[in-house]
Amino acid sequence: MGSVFKPKVTRPIPEGATLTVREGRQWAEWRDAAGRLRRARTTGVKAKRPGVIVEASTFTAKYRDGDGVVRKVATGCRTREAAAKVLARLGSDAERVRAGVLSTREAVVVEHLRTPIMEHVDDYIAALSKSRGKGARARVSTTHIANVRRGLVTIIEACGFETLQDLDRQKVLDWSADELRRPAGKVRGADGTTRDRRPPGPRTINAKLIAIIAFGNWLVAAERLLENPFEKLKKLDQSDDIRRKRRALTTDEFGRLLTVARLRPLAEHGRVTVRRTPVAGAAKTRATWKKAPLTVETIEAAADRGHAAVEPALAVRLELEGWERALTYETMLTTGMRKGEVASLTIADVDLSDERPSVTLSGPHAKNGKRSVIPLRKDVASHLREWIDDRRRRSADKGQPLPPEGPLFYVPTGLIRIFDRDLAAAGIPKADDRGHRLDVHAMRTTFNTHLAVAGVSPRTAMAAMRVSSLDLILKTYADESHFDVATAVNSLPAPPSPSPMLAAVGSAGAAWPVVPIVVPTSGKRGSLEGSEGSRSPSGKKYAFAKKAGNTRQSEVFPAKSQERAKGLEPSTSSLGS
């Protein structure tokens, strides 16, 4: 039948415990949090992990399954009565397996169906955190794991799933439909502030649907379900759901951005003071003045004033900061690398040979998990060579060699806000008249767009962008405003001139030699509409002239007294012959 018992488990030796030896065995004595004296046998002096052997707080069921194998299953029950009920259920399933009503796998699945679903979610997240990531990535990113868990919890709570028995594909479909129709509203944050909450788009909903489908696949692989209830769950169409449309920088904006990035750290200390409109009661306060904004025209003068206003050591540090930022932008704009990928580059990853300079992006730091050798423009390679030589020289002055494993750039965590301030100082609008915006990731859009403008083939652009989908090259990372469509249309061959005969006919004003069209007229029994014949009172032409006194009409065969219009071929000649 089976039995229930509390197994012995090993716990760490409590802090402050006293160890004694009795009858050749080691015991530990300590007082618990309530002040009671506790005593337990230890694992022994020779144990690799010293600990005390105590009784578990929950019962375990021991029984023989349908295949005759003795199994021990943790019931999670703290009382013997509740554990006995679990044992009875397990024994009943074993009897059904022996009787051929259930298979062994079905019996295991039946047991999992009664477990709370959040325990399965925790097990799935634990397995996902230990699985290998893309390509050379040893682990799945913690951000992805957090997003998966959040998506699963959102669907489970919205659909009211408590156990695996409750999983229902239709409920998930209803939830996705309700999410699309959800109106915009307000959300209160943890700090008490409120913000606008837009309704989720198909892309956001699909991310959660993908998570629940993958969760179902794992349940089947872990033999907790016989089949995935979400296997045929279709994702929403997200082709038109582009929440953040990015634009590309022009060549002029590219140059202004690099200039501002190089000078702004020092120019911030040389901004002139301008007076505000006087405010009553605000004398001698910050409300009466402000710093003038930086522009492309004034940033050089402001940098000169900042150089003279700060200490020499600070001026050098600010100059290096601007130089490094400009090189970071230039590298991203000419290679298409992402912010995190550029931040992962080291000195050893840069090959500045004169023939084919390049940088090597390691697989663990690439988004696709694959190692890539990215070519560099020769002018960009020259700038990087100057930057690395200067760093080596400064390190040598300090008596320290420049380590090859050191980062190529120190990319700040606040680069997004820094980029926005650089755009404002460069006079570059954040968004254009189409609503397409500029951000750090838009440098990747700029790179791909400039490749297309230069006439690079899409397949080559895919290799340069390190993507596997042509749609990303042609749609997502392409800014159509940079394409000269008018010149492309004018480059088409001119249409051929009309033939001499047609030109002569057109100039003479003669009628075109066309064959009259003869079609049955709806609502006119036995009548045909063409370019010849009498007209009806409504102005339409009849193909046959009607004779007075004749009332015989037919859809297929005309009346005998009717005469066919001359020059017209009957439309039902095969039937009337």
Side-chain angles (χ1 to χ4, degrees), residues 130 229 262 365 445 473 480 541 552:
K130 297 177 182 178
R262 181 75 179 263
H365 297 104
T445 303
I473 298 298
E480 296 180 354
K541 296 180 181 180
R552 182 186 176 190

Side-chain angles (χ1 to χ4, degrees), residues 163-181:
T163 62
L164 297 184
Q165 293 177 335
D166 302 328
L167 297 180
D168 187 0
R169 180 169 61 92
Q170 187 58 45
K171 288 185 178 180
V172 177
L173 289 175
D174 295 341
W175 166 81
S176 63
D178 293 340
E179 285 292 291
L180 284 177
R181 293 191 295 265

Side-chain angles (χ1 to χ4, degrees), residues 54 294 375 387 440 462:
V54 296
L294 295 173
W387 167 252
V440 174
M462 286 178 60

Side-chain angles (χ1 to χ4, degrees), residues 73 167 181 187 370 397 493:
V73 177
L167 297 180
R181 293 191 295 265
V187 178
K370 298 179 180 179
D397 293 343

Side-chain angles (χ1 to χ4, degrees), residues 13-279:
I13 297 178
E15 187 176 356
T18 302
L19 301 179
T20 59
V21 178
R22 296 179 181 175
E23 298 180 357
R25 294 182 177 181
Q26 189 181 57
W27 294 76
E29 294 183 354
W30 73 95
R31 292 190 178 275
D32 58 12
R36 294 173 297 184
L37 181 64
R38 301 289 303 275
R39 183 182 295 107
R41 188 165 58 88
T42 66
T43 55
V45 181
K46 297 181 180 180
K48 294 182 179 180
R49 293 183 179 180
V52 294
I53 302 174
V54 296
E55 191 177 66
S57 60
T58 58
F59 284 88
T60 295
K62 182 180 180 180
Y63 72 105
R64 193 178 297 275
D65 64 8
D67 296 332
V69 179
V70 177
R71 296 189 180 275
K72 297 179 182 180
V73 177
T75 63
C77 302
R78 293 182 178 273
T79 62
R80 185 176 294 275
E81 292 77 10
K85 293 181 180 180
V86 175
L87 176 63
R89 189 171 65 244
L90 294 173
S92 176
D93 293 340
E95 290 293 336
R96 296 171 68 186
V97 172
R98 282 191 287 269
V101 179
L102 288 178
S103 66
T104 304
R105 184 182 178 191
E106 289 173 339
V108 174
V109 169
V110 168
E111 181 59 31
H112 284 301
L113 290 178
R114 307 184 184 103
T115 309
I117 193 170
M118 288 310 301
E119 294 186 13
H120 297 285
V121 172
D122 293 338
D123 294 342
Y124 172 61
I125 295 300
L128 186 62
S129 62
K130 297 177 182 178
S131 60
R132 188 175 179 85
K134 291 182 180 179
R137 293 187 175 184
R139 291 288 183 269
V140 178
S141 68
T142 56
T143 303
H144 175 71
I145 294 174
N147 291 337
V148 169
R149 184 180 182 85
R150 189 184 307 111
L152 291 176
V153 172
T154 299
I155 294 181
I156 288 172
E157 292 180 351
C159 298
F161 298 150
E162 295 183 357
T163 62
L164 297 184
Q165 293 177 335
D166 302 328
L167 297 180
D168 187 0
R169 180 169 61 92
Q170 187 58 45
K171 288 185 178 180
V172 177
L173 289 175
D174 295 341
W175 166 81
S176 63
D178 293 340
E179 285 292 291
L180 284 177
R181 293 191 295 265
R182 191 180 73 186
K186 297 287 186 179
V187 178
R188 181 177 296 275
D191 55 354
T193 60
T194 60
R195 60 180 178 84
D196 295 332
R197 183 187 66 177
R198 296 191 303 172
R203 183 183 181 91
T204 303
I205 297 175
N206 282 342
K208 296 178 174 61
L209 295 181
I210 292 172
I212 197 72
I213 293 172
F215 176 57
N217 291 333
W218 177 82
L219 290 173
V220 175
E223 296 185 349
R224 305 190 182 196
L225 283 180
L226 294 178
E227 60 180 8
N228 184 1
F230 311 112
E231 183 177 0
K232 298 182 180 180
L233 188 64
K234 294 183 179 180
K235 296 186 294 183
L236 303 177
D237 183 12
Q238 62 183 40
S239 57
D240 294 333
D241 181 47
I242 304 177
R243 294 298 182 94
R244 185 176 298 177
K245 296 183 179 180
R246 296 179 172 90
R247 73 177 184 91
L249 290 165
T250 64
T251 305
D252 177 65
E253 291 172 339
F254 188 172
R256 281 187 286 158
L257 177 65
L258 296 184
T259 300
V260 168
R262 181 75 179 263
L263 298 176
R264 195 172 69 83
L266 199 55
E268 288 289 348
H269 295 268
R271 295 164 60 185
V272 297
T273 302
V274 296
R275 298 187 63 83
R276 293 178 181 265
T277 303
V279 180

Side-chain angles (χ1 to χ4, degrees), residues 142-450:
T142 56
T143 303
H144 175 71
I145 294 174
N147 291 337
V148 169
R149 184 180 182 85
R150 189 184 307 111
L152 291 176
V153 172
T154 299
I155 294 181
I156 288 172
E157 292 180 351
C159 298
F161 298 150
E162 295 183 357
T163 62
L164 297 184
Q165 293 177 335
D166 302 328
L167 297 180
D168 187 0
R169 180 169 61 92
Q170 187 58 45
K171 288 185 178 180
V172 177
L173 289 175
D174 295 341
W175 166 81
S176 63
D178 293 340
E179 285 292 291
L180 284 177
R181 293 191 295 265
R182 191 180 73 186
K186 297 287 186 179
V187 178
R188 181 177 296 275
D191 55 354
T193 60
T194 60
R195 60 180 178 84
D196 295 332
R197 183 187 66 177
R198 296 191 303 172
R203 183 183 181 91
T204 303
I205 297 175
N206 282 342
K208 296 178 174 61
L209 295 181
I210 292 172
I212 197 72
I213 293 172
F215 176 57
N217 291 333
W218 177 82
L219 290 173
V220 175
E223 296 185 349
R224 305 190 182 196
L225 283 180
L226 294 178
E227 60 180 8
N228 184 1
F230 311 112
E231 183 177 0
K232 298 182 180 180
L233 188 64
K234 294 183 179 180
K235 296 186 294 183
L236 303 177
D237 183 12
Q238 62 183 40
S239 57
D240 294 333
D241 181 47
I242 304 177
R243 294 298 182 94
R244 185 176 298 177
K245 296 183 179 180
R246 296 179 172 90
R247 73 177 184 91
L249 290 165
T250 64
T251 305
D252 177 65
E253 291 172 339
F254 188 172
R256 281 187 286 158
L257 177 65
L258 296 184
T259 300
V260 168
R262 181 75 179 263
L263 298 176
R264 195 172 69 83
L266 199 55
E268 288 289 348
H269 295 268
R271 295 164 60 185
V272 297
T273 302
V274 296
R275 298 187 63 83
R276 293 178 181 265
T277 303
V279 180
K284 296 182 180 180
T285 64
R286 183 68 181 266
T288 61
W289 60 275
K290 65 177 182 179
K291 291 288 187 179
L294 295 173
T295 63
V296 178
E297 293 76 13
T298 62
I299 194 168
E300 291 188 8
D304 293 337
R305 290 191 298 269
H307 191 280
V310 299
E311 295 292 332
L314 178 59
V316 172
R317 184 172 63 83
L318 294 174
E319 286 180 348
L320 293 175
E321 180 181 337
W323 188 9
E324 184 176 34
R325 189 187 305 169
L327 279 177
T328 303
Y329 289 167
E330 187 177 21
T331 303
M332 295 175 67
L333 285 165
T334 56
T335 61
M337 283 192 290
R338 302 169 179 85
K339 171 178 172 289
E341 294 172 341
V342 172
S344 69
L345 295 178
T346 63
I347 302 295
D349 294 332
V350 184
D351 180 11
L352 300 178
S353 59
D354 295 335
E355 297 180 357
R356 303 188 67 178
S358 63
V359 293
T360 301
L361 180 62
S362 61
H365 297 104
K367 184 177 181 181
N368 58 3
K370 298 179 180 179
R371 178 180 178 274
S372 301
V373 178
I374 303 173
L376 293 172
R377 286 176 54 96
K378 291 189 176 182
D379 52 353
V380 177
S382 176
H383 299 162
L384 291 179
R385 187 180 296 107
E386 295 175 2
W387 167 252
I388 295 175
D389 290 344
D390 184 79
R391 289 184 59 183
R392 285 200 178 100
R393 185 167 51 253
R394 294 180 183 279
S395 298
D397 293 343
K398 297 178 182 179
Q400 301 175 353
L402 183 64
E405 65 276 5
L408 178 63
F409 301 123
Y410 291 94
V411 180
T413 56
L415 184 64
I416 297 175
R417 295 188 299 271
I418 294 173
F419 181 77
D420 289 343
R421 297 189 186 106
D422 289 338
L423 290 179
I428 302 173
K430 178 76 173 176
D432 58 10
D433 52 357
R434 303 168 300 166
H436 293 203
R437 304 175 67 82
L438 281 174
D439 54 17
V440 174
H441 200 64
M443 297 188 191
R444 190 165 164 81
T445 303
T446 302
F447 174 68
N448 179 69
T449 302
H450 287 186

